[in-house]
Amino acid sequence: MNDAHIRSIVILGGGTAGWMSAALLAKVMGRKRRITLVESEEIGTIGVGEATVPPLQLFNGLLGVDENEFLRATNGTFKLGIEFVDWGRLGARYFHPFGRHGDHFDVAPFHQYWLKCRLAGKAAPIDEFSLCAAAARCSRFQRPPTKDPRSIWSTFSYAFHFDASAYAAFLRRYAEARGATRVEGKVADVRLRAEDGFVDRLVLADGREIAGDLFIDCSGFRALLIGQALGVGDEDWSHWLPADRAVAVQCENAGPLLPYTRSTARRAGWRWRIPLQHRVGAGYVFVSDYLSEDEAAADLLAGLDGPALAEPRLLKFRTGRRKAFWAKNVVAVGLAGGFLEPLESTSIHLIQTALTKLASWFPDRRFDPMIVAEYNRLHHLETERIRDFIILHYKATEREDSPLWRYCRNMPIPDSLAEKMELFRRYGKLKQLEGDFFQDASWLAVMLGQFVTPERNDPIADLHETEPLAKTLETMRAIIARTAKDMPEHAAFVERSCAAAAAH
Ligand SMILES: Cc1cc2nc3c(=O)[nH]c(=O)nc-3n(C[C@H](O)[C@H](O)[C@H](O)COP(=O)(O)OP(=O)(O)OC[C@H]3O[C@@H](n4cnc5c(N)ncnc54)[C@H](O)[C@@H]3O)c2cc1C
């Protein structure tokens, strides 16, 4: 019997990170461990973070949450990927879909056969070989009716858009029902143990004290525990990802309910559009050296679908990550651990994987440095791989029309990304690295969509004659197009399966 078990876990912060932590820990530990979440209504949460990636389905599954119930509670919609507008060139657009392109049909990856035909002028654009992209194009959605690995549905995947505040409230109900305790209050001081500098207790402004064995720092950009109390510094990545501000606003829905996020590159950054059941979330992520806050807000408001529902809010940030996500008895989850701009909707995903890693590498009160080191290694790797993927969007551009795009075109990039781009440019090869979250389909979509074009296909694909190969591809394309057209409209599917009571 291990008498060094963690008995009490304290989560500081009640944003998406805090309540995801509380929900998962409450599910895993139940009432066997004390779970306390401290948050301050006066400070509030960041209140953005509404687009996700498919593994959130797994998180729902881990919690045992019914997907329709979750979508009803959060005014949620389905997401099949991201449409990128004006990124590679002004006037160009492409789709980064979830799932895979085409289907397996030989030893080389699908895209090598596509590439052979495409280089010979005998294949449609890559988007047409993605069921997610095809469904997105005609604003359709349904859940896969089969799990048969031979079916085209095996290439399909989806994520969600949801209201961030409603999601935190949903998870709060879930966690509290399973024994987590919420404490309202503002942390005014953090007491460290004299002998080893571990966090001993939080002291609230009204004098209450909250002690614990393990502390999860979900205090957002303030990083109250990992940064301020323990002094763990951060690594600045703004030379690769220079955006440092966003203005965000909500507006009325107009037009069809699209099952995807849109990202439109602008002179000094990019604008997002996230459709929910009851409204659209919009924002402009920008570089303050190149655009003023007023100009960004004006650009955002001019591009809205419908009337704004509030004044635009300004958010300031810096891209980078903590030098250690876990130090002593503090694990930083969410914005306290670092920030990658929301271009590929990866922050909530990194919260999820931080928590599942923590569950896998759960400590006892000895906090073995080997466990801490492995956790940090794995989470650092994953964050860096996502960072590279986001940098790719900025680097692979032909735009020269503003200082931001001229800077990005010419900036040095991490070696890990440079090598991936070069292998793809020369041979159409996609290299997966340890910790890569984004798989081949994602790299393929963005590289091709932003004009990183391979010079040749894989020699293995040359074992096939072009004409019969092109016919096979055309049959596949037709099946994909037909399957997409047979799906219900996204709006009708939402209405039927998960319409929120108050959606209008
Ligand atoms: C512009 C922008 C767009 C984004 N879009 C996306 C997206 O589309 N998809 C995505 O996955 N992610 C996105 N993100 C990231 C996402 O918003 C965050 O990862 C997510 O909301 C988690 O935030 P958090 O819980 O770490 O911090 P916060 O929401 O800031 O919560 C911090 C919590 O700590 C509490 N707190 C702080 N100090 C104290 C104190 N002294 N005492 C008591 N409590 C305290 C606060 O009250 C609050 O409850 C976006 C971020 C930005 C900036």
Side-chain angles (χ1 to χ4, degrees):
M1 177 72 185
N2 179 355
D3 61 359
H5 281 313
I6 298 281
R7 297 156 304 194
S8 160
I9 303 166
V10 177
I11 300 165
L12 172 56
T16 306
W19 284 113
M20 282 178 79
S21 305
L24 190 70
L25 291 169
K27 168 72 182 176
V28 174
M29 317 246 154
R31 293 170 198 274
K32 292 187 181 137
R33 300 288 179 268
R34 205 162 61 244
I35 299 168
T36 310
L37 183 145
V38 187
E39 68 173 319
S40 156
E41 261 169 35
E42 185 195 324
I43 293 175
T45 65
I46 192 149
V48 281
E50 310 204 313
T52 61
V53 286
L56 198 69
Q57 286 181 51
L58 299 176
F59 191 72
N60 284 334
L62 272 175
L63 297 185
V65 160
D66 175 73
E67 197 170 285
N68 286 338
E69 186 194 333
F70 144 74
L71 289 165
R72 265 193 294 277
T74 59
N75 266 297
T77 60
F78 295 92
K79 174 180 172 190
L80 294 173
I82 305 176
E83 183 187 39
F84 287 92
V85 180
D86 292 340
W87 278 84
R89 283 176 200 152
L90 275 170
R93 55 178 72 208
Y94 70 94
F95 199 78
H96 168 198
F98 297 137
R100 287 184 279 118
H101 296 93
D103 212 347
H104 301 299
F105 66 96
D106 211 334
V107 286
F110 163 81
H111 78 268
Q112 291 291 354
Y113 302 100
W114 170 84
L115 187 57
K116 177 179 168 70
C117 294
R118 185 74 177 167
L119 292 172
K122 295 196 171 177
I126 193 74
D127 274 6
E128 299 195 23
F129 294 89
S130 153
L131 184 52
C132 283
R137 234 187 343 267
C138 49
S139 200
R140 286 171 190 267
F141 180 82
Q142 76 175 83
R143 295 193 178 98
T146 170
K147 289 193 162 58
D148 184 346
R150 292 160 308 172
S151 160
I152 192 65
W153 283 102
S154 67
T155 67
F156 187 82
S157 190
Y158 64 90
F160 315 98
H161 304 118
F162 55 65
D163 178 324
S165 310
Y167 186 51
F170 176 78
L171 293 176
R172 175 179 165 185
R173 287 192 295 278
Y174 178 98
E176 286 183 328
R178 283 158 185 80
T181 308
R182 173 184 181 275
V183 173
E184 168 62 36
K186 198 164 160 184
V187 173
D189 194 14
V190 179
R191 297 266 157 80
L192 304 184
R193 291 197 314 231
E195 66 272 25
D196 55 12
F198 278 45
V199 172
D200 186 49
R201 59 193 58 232
L202 310 182
V203 183
L204 304 189
D206 61 9
R208 279 175 296 164
E209 296 193 351
I210 299 167
D213 298 322
L214 170 66
F215 289 80
I216 316 276
D217 186 353
C218 299
S219 63
F221 287 130
R222 286 178 178 77
L224 220 66
L225 304 183
I226 195 94
Q228 292 185 31
L230 295 190
V232 176
D234 55 14
E235 204 173 294
D236 181 359
W237 288 341
S238 56
H239 50 296
W240 289 314
L241 295 168
D244 59 353
R245 300 273 190 285
V247 275
V249 77
Q250 298 164 357
C251 72
E252 284 180 19
N253 237 329
L257 187 64
L258 301 179
Y260 56 89
T261 304
R262 180 177 293 136
S263 162
T264 305
R266 306 293 295 163
R267 160 165 90 80
W270 60 279
R271 273 198 330 233
W272 79 77
R273 179 190 184 281
I274 298 177
L276 306 184
Q277 290 185 35
H278 61 316
R279 60 165 168 83
V280 170
Y284 187 167
V285 172
F286 63 100
V287 185
S288 60
D289 282 350
Y290 300 139
L291 196 73
S292 73
E293 290 158 9
D294 288 346
E295 286 172 308
D299 185 306
L300 175 66
L301 293 173
L304 294 181
D305 288 42
L309 297 169
E311 288 296 309
R313 279 197 316 128
L314 178 71
L315 301 151
K316 296 183 181 178
F317 50 81
R318 194 179 68 168
T319 298
R321 65 121 203 260
R322 272 305 128 198
K323 287 188 176 140
F325 295 108
W326 183 344
K328 302 185 188 280
N329 60 341
V330 172
V331 181
V333 175
L335 299 174
F339 184 63
L340 280 168
E341 60 153 277
L343 187 56
E344 284 285 352
S345 325
T346 43
S347 288
I348 294 171
H349 176 70
L350 283 168
I351 294 172
Q352 176 180 338
T353 62
L355 293 171
T356 48
K357 279 187 202 91
L358 179 60
S360 302
W361 294 91
F362 203 75
D364 62 20
R365 277 180 285 131
R366 287 178 286 235
F367 290 93
D368 187 331
M370 267 178 88
I371 290 198
V372 175
E374 183 58 9
Y375 177 94
N376 280 326
R377 188 187 77 82
L378 292 171
H379 209 52
H380 278 167
L381 261 184
E382 190 174 16
T383 309
E384 276 174 26
R385 302 296 182 235
I386 291 176
R387 172 204 70 192
D388 282 4
F389 186 60
I390 298 176
I391 297 172
L392 169 69
H393 299 64
Y394 283 93
K395 177 70 180 174
T397 185
E398 295 179 358
R399 285 186 65 160
E400 292 267 15
D401 56 291
S402 69
L404 171 67
W405 298 111
R406 284 194 292 276
Y407 169 78
C408 291
R409 277 192 72 154
N410 297 313
M411 69 181 169
I413 54 175
D415 291 346
S416 43
L417 174 60
E419 192 196 1
K420 279 198 183 203
M421 290 178 72
E422 195 52 27
L423 269 172
F424 188 72
R425 197 177 279 119
R426 285 205 226 161
Y427 306 106
K429 299 254 192 215
L430 292 163
K431 181 175 171 176
Q432 283 286 311
L433 299 172
E434 185 192 0
D436 259 327
F437 163 62
F438 287 102
Q439 302 295 302
D440 285 5
S442 296
W443 289 90
L444 183 68
V446 177
M447 292 222 236
L448 290 172
Q450 297 197 199
F451 309 107
V452 182
T453 310
E455 290 162 14
R456 62 181 80 83
N457 56 264
D458 193 300
I460 293 287
D462 287 331
L463 299 171
H464 292 258
E465 296 299 327
T466 308
E467 288 301 333
L469 205 52
K471 277 205 184 107
T472 309
L473 288 182
E474 182 47 30
T475 306
M476 207 180 268
R477 195 196 63 75
I479 292 171
I480 288 169
R482 204 172 50 241
T483 310
K485 290 224 168 64
D486 285 346
M487 295 185 201
E489 294 272 352
H490 177 225
F493 188 86
V494 167
E495 182 62 36
R496 206 169 57 226
S497 59
C498 54
H504 55 271

